[in-house]
Amino acid sequence: MRIAVVGSGYVGLVTGACFADLGHDVVLVDNDDKKLEALNNGEVPIHEKFLPELLQRHRDGRIKFSGDLQAATRASEIVFIAVGTPPTESGDADMSYVESVAREISGAIDGYKVIVEKSTVPVYTNEWIRTIITRNGTNPELFEVASNPEFLREGSAVTDFLYPDRIVVGVDGERAAKMMREVYSPLTSGWYYGRAHAIPRPDKAQIPPRLIITSAQSAEIIKHASNAFLAMKISFVNAVASICESVGANVEQVCDGIGTDSRIGPRFLKPGIGYGGSCFPKDLLAFRAVAKEVGYDFRLLEEVIRINEEQRRRFLRKVRSVLWTLRGKRLGVLGLAFKGGTDDIRESPALLLVQELMREGCKICAYDPAAMDRAKEAISQVNCNGIEFAGDPYQAAKGADAVLILTEWEEFATLDLDELRKAVKYPIVLDGRNLYDPATMMAHGFSYYSVGRPPAIKQEAQLARVAKREHA
Ligand code: UGA
């Protein structure tokens, strides 16, 4: 099919590249000339596994980049809107980019087309898009608006797209439903999975995926409710982890015990320093705003947000309780991205914690496999005193009073503990992502503090001896 994808941000880029891999002809539209030039020159603006391969495979073939939205609309049967919907001051989503796209494409609808909202949007956006397009002179018979929410995680967005748990299409007319079925038929028929160059299947992926057709409003709610539910799972487990800490229980054992109940499931039950990113924090606020607008006081969401913020403060208190005073302490920080596998630092709990520790007078030496450039830029806008960046985890840990693990990068779960041990001044690790087994850390000579598990503490006398030896 001929598809236009408007917005070449993270969702648009992944969607466009994956549609091309499914055999469709794609035009990716953006109004940022620099971005278009970079994409045309073969650059990949985001850190996303398999995306460079897909763009390379289809550039100048099935995928083209353009700044001309109207021409792209005329040339396409389906237009996916994947522009940003950032939060406003009050928490609801700013829909002005979506509106301006709807306005602009209305002049180019010269034959039947399906306009699909892919951005995360509040309920009734499909009706607004329809209204704006019609208000700008397009015959309502010539188009339908569908909602096709994305469930892509950063870092595994390409495999999430090609091996989804489900595909949700919210659409009110049969003609549009038929076209949307056709768009996804390479996945739902299983055709894609038999191809020699298919992106490899992740463990446990069920193929072919199920396509769920709903009303447009239901699809819009499915997106917000899914993200809110996942965030609720994380806050729930973080609250349970706090109780575990108070009573000396081990949250990992507790999660194993509850997650094996198939009604609950083991995923998204990892405690830590809270969720971040460009989706959960924003979508929870937006869902709460939608609920409020329709007269429902969704206080559960407020509690999810409160627990999430408290989780970060709790970790900070833990650092303080282990190190006593913070001013002048040297901390080796591992991780700045909001989660492993991405260079995204938006609403990153790791970065927020680093900034808090800097305000408390700590000297930070940070390392992240992908997010350092972005973090440097963000920090320099606030304050750059007290932070330096390292070339690897051991350099970050060199001479540190303590090492803090703040992002769940695979690389941080497989450190050479002997080398780390040699690098630090005091063998103290505060792990905000529970990447290590406490007994292993203790066996390597560390005092180890994690989330929701009893700490593994080396005797203070031993600590003192170690420090003395190292500074002799
Ligand atoms: C999330 C959803 O998982 C996607 O399904 C959705 O499409 C996407 O938002 C979106 O709306 O666009 P993403 O923000 O990329 O994806 O990241 P997640 O993998 O969901 O992680 C979010 C945060 O929760 C991270 O900070 C992560 O560290 C944290 N997390 C996740 C935990 O603390 N514990 C867990 O068990 C899982």
Side-chain angles (χ1 to χ4, degrees), residues 10-11 120 150-155 160 223 227 230 234 237-238 267-280 283 338-340 349 408 433:
Y10 146 78
V11 173
T120 301
E150 52 87 15
F151 304 105
L152 314 177
R153 287 163 304 165
E154 288 187 32
D160 283 349
K223 170 67 193 188
N227 274 4
L230 291 169
I234 298 169
V237 81
N238 279 334
R267 296 172 73 191
F268 276 70
L269 276 187
K270 288 208 184 70
I273 51 173
Y275 61 77
S278 65
C279 304
F280 285 175
D283 290 354
F338 83 96
K339 65 169 189 178
E408 66 273 45
R433 298 295 190 166

Side-chain angles (χ1 to χ4, degrees), residues 97-131:
Y97 301 110
V98 175
E99 180 176 351
S100 87
V101 170
R103 210 181 307 120
E104 207 178 325
I105 56 180
S106 66
I109 299 182
D110 52 1
Y112 182 79
K113 293 182 199 299
V114 181
I115 314 302
V116 189
E117 42 174 44
K118 192 84 181 150
S119 312
T120 301
V121 292
V123 68
Y124 293 128
T125 300
N126 69 96
E127 282 195 14
W128 272 113
I129 294 175
R130 197 189 323 271
T131 304

Side-chain angles (χ1 to χ4, degrees), residues 395-471:
Q395 202 183 333
K398 201 163 178 345
D401 289 290
V403 171
L404 272 48
I405 302 178
L406 302 184
T407 305
E408 66 273 45
W409 278 100
E410 186 81 32
E411 181 180 341
F412 299 157
T414 52
L415 293 172
D416 179 333
L417 295 175
D418 296 324
E419 203 178 322
L420 187 72
R421 176 73 194 72
K422 276 188 225 143
V424 294
K425 178 171 168 197
Y426 294 100
I428 299 173
V429 172
L430 289 120
D431 183 355
R433 298 295 190 166
N434 287 7
L435 299 187
Y436 284 94
D437 166 37
T440 308
M441 291 304 276
M442 198 144 90
H444 280 84
F446 288 100
S447 279
Y448 177 73
Y449 304 82
S450 53
V451 180
R453 302 182 298 178
I457 309 175
K458 287 253 23 123
Q459 291 306 315
E460 291 296 323
Q462 268 175 283
L463 273 180
R465 265 203 306 279
V466 169
K468 228 172 170 175
R469 200 171 54 229
E470 249 130 57
H471 286 271

Side-chain angles (χ1 to χ4, degrees), residues 164-369:
D165 285 344
R166 78 305 201 189
I167 298 160
V168 173
V169 171
V171 66
D172 297 314
E174 196 34 51
R175 187 168 177 189
K178 191 165 170 275
M179 282 168 73
M180 290 301 287
R181 276 198 198 93
E182 214 173 315
V183 168
Y184 284 105
S185 70
L187 297 180
T188 53
S189 67
W191 172 84
Y192 179 75
Y193 306 116
R195 302 206 60 218
H197 296 297
I199 294 295
R201 179 181 176 178
D203 291 347
K204 295 188 191 144
Q206 297 280 350
I207 53 170
R210 188 178 151 210
L211 185 111
I212 303 173
I213 299 268
T214 69
S215 71
Q217 276 88 336
S218 299
E220 289 165 335
I221 297 270
I222 286 169
K223 170 67 193 188
H224 269 155
S226 297
N227 274 4
F229 194 89
L230 291 169
M232 182 182 75
K233 255 185 128 174
I234 298 169
S235 278
F236 182 86
V237 81
N238 279 334
V240 171
S242 300
I243 296 172
C244 288
E245 284 179 10
S246 304
V247 302
N250 181 329
V251 73
E252 231 155 67
Q253 295 171 355
V254 174
C255 285
D256 196 25
I258 57 178
T260 38
D261 183 329
S262 59
R263 294 168 301 175
I264 297 173
R267 296 172 73 191
F268 276 70
L269 276 187
K270 288 208 184 70
I273 51 173
Y275 61 77
S278 65
C279 304
F280 285 175
K282 165 177 87 89
D283 290 354
L284 258 84
L285 291 176
F287 198 26
R288 191 186 59 176
V290 164
K292 200 168 179 184
E293 214 175 291
V294 297
Y296 186 78
D297 187 8
F298 207 157
R299 270 187 245 173
L300 177 62
L301 298 186
E302 259 149 57
E303 196 51 21
V304 171
I305 296 168
R306 189 196 65 76
I307 294 172
N308 195 53
E309 285 165 3
E310 174 58 17
Q311 198 62 12
R312 221 171 44 234
R313 287 194 286 271
R314 232 183 128 78
F315 191 77
L316 189 66
R317 287 200 295 275
K318 199 173 283 175
V319 179
R320 215 179 275 130
S321 77
V322 173
L323 296 181
W324 190 23
T325 63
L326 292 181
R327 183 157 301 282
K329 291 272 160 68
R330 186 178 173 84
L331 303 178
V333 166
L334 305 187
L336 296 162
F338 83 96
K339 65 169 189 178
T342 176
D343 60 351
D344 198 337
I345 51 156
R346 284 176 287 177
E347 300 289 324
S348 165
L351 195 62
L352 290 168
L353 260 166
V354 162
Q355 285 167 336
E356 191 57 40
L357 289 161
M358 285 166 68
R359 273 194 290 277
E360 299 250 1
C362 293
K363 293 193 170 18
I364 308 282
C365 188
Y367 170 73
D368 187 286

